[in-house]
Amino acid sequence: MRTNYYHVSKGADDIYYILNNGMEYIQNLSTDLDIALIKAKNIIGYEVPLDIWYRKKWLEFKPQQDQHIEDHYAYLRKLNYEKDKVQCESRKFVGKINEKLTCDLECTLTYDVESEWGLSRVVYLKDSDGNRFKYFGTAKAVWNFKKIGDKAKIEFVIKEHKFEDKYFKFDGVVPYNLNMITKIKNK
């Protein structure tokens, strides 16, 4: 019983006849069938059968010549992650529930939500210490925050202290303390 099954078939490009050993590609032979069969016989030492099937292209993984560049970018990503992680962990709850505060806040994310009751705005904000706030509603003061980076001095009431987790994480890499606010007014 022969363990090798050498045969000639068609390559994936449908240009060359190729030499195979079972499913293993050996080499391109020729675009002409007669020449391909002669070359196969010279390589193997006996006539090989013609078994026409079209080989699927396999992706070849070549050794990466620029691995040092990928390593450098991975290092930079790790540094940024560590910096962001420290910032997320340092965020605190501000004030007490139902306490009225006045603060200069900067927008970090904003988007509108439309429902059957009308248009509402969701705004993620931060103070000068990096503490995070979130407002959802229709108050006039929220429309001051049209884009990321917009700043305004507002008065608000702390509605709830939440732990922003991975399911609602819009601004951070790890879970962090989030101050839910309500009743906002321009100051």
Side-chain angles (χ1 to χ4, degrees):
M1 181 167 144
R2 196 177 347 171
T3 57
N4 293 327
Y5 173 60
Y6 290 104
H7 62 279
V8 173
S9 69
K10 269 298 222 185
D13 297 332
D14 197 24
I15 298 171
Y16 285 99
Y17 288 96
I18 60 173
L19 179 62
N20 294 303
N21 182 7
M23 293 291 290
E24 182 184 350
Y25 165 82
I26 304 295
Q27 73 177 59
N28 285 347
L29 297 171
S30 175
T31 57
D32 180 80
L33 177 59
D34 295 329
I35 294 173
L37 291 172
I38 292 168
K39 282 186 175 181
K41 181 179 179 183
N42 291 338
I43 292 168
I44 304 303
Y46 55 87
E47 284 188 23
V48 295
L50 178 62
D51 188 2
I52 298 291
W53 53 277
Y54 291 93
R55 182 179 214 41
K56 289 184 180 176
K57 267 197 176 178
W58 298 94
L59 295 175
E60 289 185 33
F61 296 100
K62 297 180 181 173
Q64 192 170 353
Q65 300 297 318
D66 53 359
Q67 185 62 44
H68 64 289
I69 295 170
E70 181 57 38
D71 291 344
H72 177 69
Y73 283 122
Y75 172 72
L76 292 178
R77 284 190 300 274
K78 182 179 180 215
L79 287 180
N80 284 334
Y81 173 81
E82 292 299 325
K83 183 181 108 189
D84 290 345
K85 183 177 174 190
V86 168
Q87 287 177 353
C88 286
E89 289 171 344
S90 68
R91 295 173 185 167
K92 305 287 182 223
F93 291 131
V94 177
K96 296 177 182 149
I97 306 297
N98 296 322
E99 182 179 356
K100 186 183 277 189
L101 299 171
T102 301
C103 208
D104 288 319
L105 297 177
E106 178 183 341
C107 179
T108 60
L109 176 70
T110 184
Y111 59 90
D112 298 329
V113 177
E114 192 170 352
S115 71
E116 59 193 67
W117 299 285
L119 190 65
S120 297
R121 179 161 278 188
V122 178
V123 182
Y124 281 79
L125 305 155
K126 70 176 180 177
D127 66 9
S128 59
D129 295 328
N131 299 316
R132 297 302 201 246
F133 301 85
K134 180 180 178 182
Y135 174 80
F136 174 74
T138 58
K140 280 186 178 180
V142 78
W143 300 102
N144 291 331
F145 303 106
K146 294 181 176 99
K147 63 184 188 309
I148 294 172
D150 285 350
K151 296 179 182 179
K153 185 173 193 130
I154 60 170
E155 183 179 277
F156 56 87
V157 173
I158 298 292
K159 178 180 177 182
E160 181 183 357
H161 290 143
K162 278 181 92 173
F163 195 63
E164 185 79 332
D165 65 15
K166 66 182 179 178
Y167 298 107
F168 302 104
K169 178 179 67 173
F170 292 109
D171 186 26
V173 294
V174 295
Y176 60 90
N177 297 327
L178 182 67
N179 302 283
M180 301 296 292
I181 61 175
T182 189
K183 300 180 184 173
I184 68 171
K185 297 179 189 170
N186 287 324
K187 210 53 180 150

